[in-house]
Amino acid sequence: MIALNIAWTHLTSRKRQTAVSLVGVVLGVAFFLAVSALMRGSEKDFITRLIDNSPHITVSDEFRTARLQPARLRWPDDLVEIAGLRPNNETRGIRGWRYRLGQIESLPGLKAAPVLVGSAVLLFAGQEQGISLSGIVPARMRGVSSIEEKLVEGSLDDLEANPGGIIIGAGLAEKFSLRRGSTVNLVAGGGSNRSLTVVAIFRTGNAGYDESQTYVLLKRAQLLLGRPDRVNRFIIKLADASQALLVASRIEAMGTYKAVSWAEASEDILNVLFVRNVIMYSVVSAILLVASFGIYNTLSTIVMEKTRDIAILKSVGFQARDIRHIFVLEGLIVGTLGSVLGLAVGAGLMQLMASVQIRPPGGTAMVNLPVWWGGEQFLIAAGFALLSCLLAAWLPARKAGRLHPVDILRGAT
Amino acid sequence: MSVVLRAQGLHKILAGDVPTTLIKDVDLEISAGEFVCIMGPSGSGKSSLLYLLGLLDVPTHGTIALDGVNTQGFNDAQLTQLRLEKLGFVFQFHFLLSEFSVLDNVCLPMRRLGRWPEAQCHERAMSLLTRLGVAAQASKLPSQLSGGQRQRVAVARALANDPLILLADEPTGNLDTVASANVRQILHDLTRELGKSVIAVTHDPKFAAGADRRINVVDGQIDPDWQPL
Ligand SMILES: Nc1ncnc2c1ncn2[C@@H]1O[C@H](COP(=O)(O)OP(=O)(O)O)[C@@H](O)[C@H]1O
Ligand SMILES: [Mg+2]
C-alpha cells in the first residue's frame, strides 16, 4: 500500500510536529474520557441512590383516569349522558390484593411486597410528632426495599419476632432520645392507641425520611389504621431497573391500578441529567475539536512542503484520489494512535480519580469519586477523535488532490 | 514507422486580464522509437509544449492523440491513467521523493500501476538501475547521490512502467559537463536499445546532434529556420 507508506514516511520524517499534534489528540481523548467517566459516574451514582432508596415501581390504590360508569362500559359506542355524577365511596385499598400480588409476581425478573401506608401521631413523653406509618411483611421486604441495609441497630427479624415492635429512623430517635427497647405510643386513624417498642433504628441520610418514616408489621398497621386485611400499595424491585417503565405499563394493563415507575416519578431529575450530559459532551467534544486543529495545521504544512512530491506523484500517474488518500491516512494514523494512547491515559486518569477520596461539603463520610467504567464512553471518545481527525485531514487532503503539477513544475524550473 | 503521438493545431492560451498565448498552432508527429529534441530560446514555450504533449496540461485548442487514442475531452483521471501507462518524465531537477530510497523511487510507478508483483517490481527496478550504472546506490536516499546519479535514477523511474514515450525537460540542464555528457549518452543508448520514443527539451547542441530530429520552438510556434547560438 503505497499511500500508507508515503503517509507514514511524511509523519515520521516530521517527528516533532507529529508528536505535538499527537499529544493534542491524546490529551483531548484522555480528558474526554476522564470527564465523561466522572459525569456519567456521578449520574449513575445519583440514579442508583434514587432507585435504591425508592421502589422501582409502586402500585397504589389509585387510578390513572376516572373510572368509567357501568352504563358506559355496557354501551361504549352509544350516547350515554351521565350528569351530576357522585361515585360511591370506595373502600380504600387494593381490592383482592393477594390475587393481584400473585399476578404481578408471576411476571419475570421482579419481587414485590405488599405495604399498608398511613399516617399516625407518635406520642412520647408529652411530645407528639406526625409520622408516616408503613405496615410491612418483613420477609417480603428483603430484596425489595433497601431498609434492611439501612438499619444501624436491630434487624428485620426483631420486628418479625415482636408484633408490638416498631422501626424508626435515626432522626426521630435523636429527636426524642429513643433507643432500642424504648416504648412509644402511637395514635392512628383507627382511633386506637397502642404502645410499641422500638426494635430497630435505620439511617438513610435523607433527613425528612429519617425523622418521619416508621415501620410496623402489616397486621399491626391494619389494626392501628382500622383497615383489616387491606394493603394500599405494592412496592416492586426489578432485576433490571431500566425496565421499570415497560413493566409498570404491563402491570397497569393487567389491573387498572396505577403503577408508577421510578423513571416516571423522577422524570424531572432525569431531564436535568440529560441536559447535563448534553452540556458535558459539548464541552469535551470542543476539547477534541481544538486538538484536531493541530492535525489540520500539521497536515497543511506537510502539503505545502510537499508540493514537489505531489507534483511528481501526479505526473508519474497518481490520481488526485490517491493523493487525497495519503493525507486522509495521515490524519487517521494520528487519530488512531492518539485515540489508543488517549484511551490509555484517560483510563489512567480514571483510575487516579477513582482512588481519590473526598469529603463532600456538609457531608460526614469520605466518599470515592464516582467513576463509570462503561465501554460505550471509550467508543464515543475514540470515535469522536477519529471523526475530528478525519475532518481535520480532509481539507488539506482535498487541497493536495487539487494541486496542478504544471503549476508546481513551472515554479521549480 | 508508426506514429505514437500526433498533435494537431495545438494552442495554449492562458486566461487573465491580458490573455497570454504560450503555444500557437503547433502540429507535430512522433514516430515509434524516434528521438526528438526540442530547442529554442529561453521562455519560448518549450516546457509548455512538453507539458501539453505529456498530457500534464490540456491545450486550449487542438488535439493530441497518444498511441492512437484521441485525448480530447479526457478528464484529469483519464489523462493521469494514460500518463501512468504510456509516458515517463524526467525534469531538469531530479524530483525524486527525498524520504524514499532510490529503489523505492523507481518502484513507485510500478506499484501504482500494479501490473507486476512486488518481487518483479524489484527485479525490474534493479535491472534498470544496473543499466543506468546506479545499482550500487539502490538502497541510498536521493540526498546521498550526486546530481548525475540522481538524474539517472530519475531516468530509471521514467522507464519503470515500460512507457511508449519518454519526455525530458532539460534533463542535463542542471549538471556539470562530465555528468551531463554521461546522462546524455546513457539516455541515447538506453532508449535506442529499448526502442522508446524520446521527446527532450534541451539547450545542449551535442544533445541535439545525436537526435533523429530537431524541433525549434520560437515564441510558442514551430520555426524550422531557427539556429542555436
Ligand atoms: N503561469 C504563467 N503565467 C504567465 N506566463 C507564463 C506562465 N507560465 C509560463 N509563462 C510564460 O510562458 C512562456 C513560456 O514558458 P516556458 O514554456 O517555460 O518556456 P521555456 O521552457 O521555453 O523556457 C514564458 O515567457 C513564461 O514566462
Ligand atoms: Mg523550460
Side-chain angles (χ1 to χ4, degrees), chain A residues 147 150-153 166-180 198 200-215:
Chain A
I147 178 70
K150 301 289 198 273
L151 292 179
V152 288
E153 276 181 63
I166 182 169
I167 299 177
I168 61 171
L172 190 65
E174 276 151 28
K175 194 166 170 183
F176 290 154
S177 33
L178 299 170
R179 50 179 147 332
R180 277 186 85 193
V198 176
I201 295 172
F202 64 83
R203 182 193 294 279
T204 62
N206 176 330
Y209 206 71
D210 286 352
E211 270 191 24
S212 62
Q213 180 63 47
T214 63
Y215 296 92

Side-chain angles (χ1 to χ4, degrees), chain A residues 177-387:
Chain A
S177 33
L178 299 170
R179 50 179 147 332
R180 277 186 85 193
S182 304
T183 309
V184 293
N185 272 320
L186 225 60
V187 185
S192 49
N193 180 336
R194 271 290 305 207
S195 75
L196 297 167
T197 311
V198 176
V199 292
I201 295 172
F202 64 83
R203 182 193 294 279
T204 62
N206 176 330
Y209 206 71
D210 286 352
E211 270 191 24
S212 62
Q213 180 63 47
T214 63
Y215 296 92
V216 296
L217 288 179
L218 178 60
K219 287 253 151 46
R220 176 64 52 208
Q222 287 168 342
L223 285 174
L224 278 166
L225 297 168
R227 298 164 74 181
D229 203 31
R230 287 259 155 196
V231 305
N232 58 5
R233 205 154 292 186
F234 297 146
I235 60 176
I236 296 168
K237 205 79 167 183
L238 302 177
D240 177 7
S242 63
Q243 297 293 309
L245 269 174
L246 193 78
V247 177
S249 64
R250 285 179 66 184
I251 291 172
E252 260 183 33
M254 55 203 244
T256 43
Y257 286 112
K258 185 170 162 184
V260 175
S261 70
W262 68 269
E264 186 185 349
S266 318
E267 204 182 323
D268 51 346
I269 294 171
L270 294 182
N271 284 342
V272 169
L273 290 176
F274 177 76
V275 170
R276 204 179 72 135
N277 276 340
V278 169
I279 295 172
M280 180 269 294
Y281 276 119
S282 322
V283 172
V284 290
S285 302
I287 301 176
L288 274 180
L289 221 53
V290 171
S292 69
F293 276 108
I295 294 177
Y296 172 79
N297 191 40
T298 304
L299 292 189
S300 298
T301 316
I302 294 178
V303 168
M304 274 196 294
E305 283 175 5
K306 290 290 170 192
T307 49
R308 274 174 62 124
D309 287 18
I310 294 165
I312 201 66
L313 286 171
K314 285 194 125 178
S315 68
V316 157
F318 280 75
Q319 299 283 358
R321 177 167 26 93
D322 300 323
I323 307 291
R324 280 199 301 271
H325 282 174
I326 293 174
F327 291 93
V328 166
L329 271 174
E330 289 177 25
L332 277 181
I333 290 173
V334 174
T336 310
L337 267 178
S339 295
V340 170
L341 292 177
L343 291 183
V345 172
L349 274 178
M350 283 157 68
Q351 194 83 62
L352 200 71
M353 288 192 309
S355 69
V356 166
Q357 287 209 319
I358 53 155
R359 193 192 298 277
T364 45
M366 299 289 280
V367 296
N368 279 325
L369 284 177
V371 171
W372 183 53
W373 287 92
E376 85 189 44
Q377 58 187 343
F378 285 80
L379 288 181
I380 294 175
F384 197 83
L386 278 181
L387 198 71

